Amino acid sequence: MRIEKIDTFKHKGLRQKLVDIIKEKGIKNIDVLNAINEVPRHFFLDLAFDKIAYEDRAFPIGEGQTISQPYTVAYQTELLNVQPREKVLEIGTGSAYQATILAAMGARVFTIERHKNLYDKNQLDYPLKSKYKNIKFFYGDGFKGLPTFMPFDKIIITAAAPFTPDELIKQLKPKGVIVLPIGEQDEQTMIRITKNEDETLTEERFDKFTFVPMLKGQV
Ligand code: SAH
């Protein structure tokens, strides 16, 4: 049975507090903060997490995967500097919370997931279908990107990447930006790579995070 989720005043209040916490941790971009305030995170979690959905923590979403911590979502989104109408490719749909934050900022979102069950859940039953029509879900291997829909203004990888996939750099527009956590299992460094107009790359390094691994192939 499908339980219709409701966004109550209580949820809205908890969400406002979460925005304050994220702000205190250093997120400044007002569009990012507004998106966190707008999107009901509890819609992307099982009912069992309803009371804790607005804690600044990652939670399990099945298949051994997690919904990222809100601060991490805000951090990556801030680095991406998303503008309305931009074409954004996300690798690692998971719960679709990050995809929804991008959609709430007006991006045209293309998101890929390698787990069929997680993909199906969103493709069939995305909880905010009538509100955000600017998200397209794909089942596939994010290392390959989406050649049919390239080029993208921005690309975001939401799993720990062992290296920067060349194929994804190819699918970026000139002046395009990719934000990804790079590194081993325990800890990764957030990286932002800008593709310059002459095709050279500029790399910037930011803080450390821990993500689930980016893995090859589909399951
Ligand atoms: N953005 C998600 C975070 C989910 S965790 C959210 O907001 O909930 C990372 C996700 O990346 C997992 O669902 C995992 O299955 C997926 N993933 C890992 N490697 C991948 C790959 N090569 N291609 C597509 N998805 C991948």
Side-chain angles (χ1 to χ4, degrees):
M1 193 182 75
R2 184 163 183 268
I3 298 164
E4 206 59 54
K5 289 192 175 149
I6 301 168
D7 193 22
T8 64
F9 281 112
K10 181 140 195 226
H11 291 116
K12 289 188 172 92
L14 291 171
R15 202 146 70 233
Q16 181 61 58
K17 282 195 186 130
L18 174 63
V19 170
D20 292 342
I21 289 169
I22 289 173
K23 235 195 229 173
E24 266 168 40
K25 289 186 178 173
I27 303 299
K28 292 189 176 66
N29 184 310
I30 190 69
D31 299 323
V32 173
L33 294 168
N34 285 342
I36 300 279
N37 204 19
E38 176 178 312
V39 176
R41 189 178 189 235
H42 65 288
F43 282 20
F44 300 88
L45 288 162
D46 276 356
L47 211 50
F49 296 99
D50 195 77
K51 286 198 169 60
I52 51 175
Y54 294 98
E55 291 182 8
D56 192 20
R57 291 166 52 188
F59 291 112
I61 55 167
E63 309 296 336
Q65 307 304 318
T66 54
I67 181 173
S68 302
Q69 183 181 341
Y71 170 68
T72 308
V73 171
Y75 191 102
Q76 276 198 287
T77 311
E78 184 167 72
L79 286 181
L80 211 56
N81 190 20
V82 179
Q83 304 300 319
R85 304 287 307 150
E86 278 185 340
K87 261 173 83 179
V88 180
L89 173 64
E90 181 197 24
I91 312 301
T93 312
S95 68
Y97 176 68
Q98 168 75 74
T100 306
I101 293 293
L102 297 168
M105 294 176 74
R108 289 177 287 157
V109 184
F110 298 74
T111 181
I112 313 178
E113 173 56 56
R114 71 185 285 274
H115 268 286
K116 183 79 163 64
N117 286 346
L118 295 176
Y119 161 77
D120 279 346
K121 199 169 170 203
N122 283 305
Q123 182 61 18
L124 304 172
D125 210 12
Y126 173 66
L128 289 160
K129 210 173 274 181
S130 52
K131 181 145 194 201
Y132 301 112
K133 298 188 194 304
N134 45 336
I135 307 181
K136 287 190 167 66
F137 297 101
F138 296 86
Y139 172 52
D141 179 357
F143 279 99
K144 298 181 182 149
L146 277 182
T148 334
F149 293 90
M150 68 172 276
F152 297 96
D153 296 287
K154 308 278 165 72
I155 300 179
I156 175 172
I157 304 184
T158 65
F163 54 85
T164 311
D166 281 345
E167 196 48 50
L168 297 185
I169 298 284
K170 260 189 224 156
Q171 295 179 22
L172 268 182
K173 284 185 191 173
K175 288 191 174 171
V177 167
I178 177 168
V179 172
L180 70 163
I182 287 208
E184 300 304 316
Q185 195 115 50
D186 295 342
E187 196 179 67
Q188 304 91 40
T189 304
M190 197 64 78
I191 308 268
R192 177 165 66 187
I193 298 172
T194 306
K195 186 179 191 174
N196 302 312
E197 272 171 303
D198 64 1
E199 301 265 313
T200 58
L201 304 175
T202 303
E203 183 181 303
E204 300 162 276
R205 299 174 84 81
F206 298 91
D207 294 323
K208 308 273 190 204
F209 292 87
T210 305
F211 285 77
V212 295
M214 180 177 183
L215 301 169
K216 289 206 166 138
Q218 292 162 238
V219 284

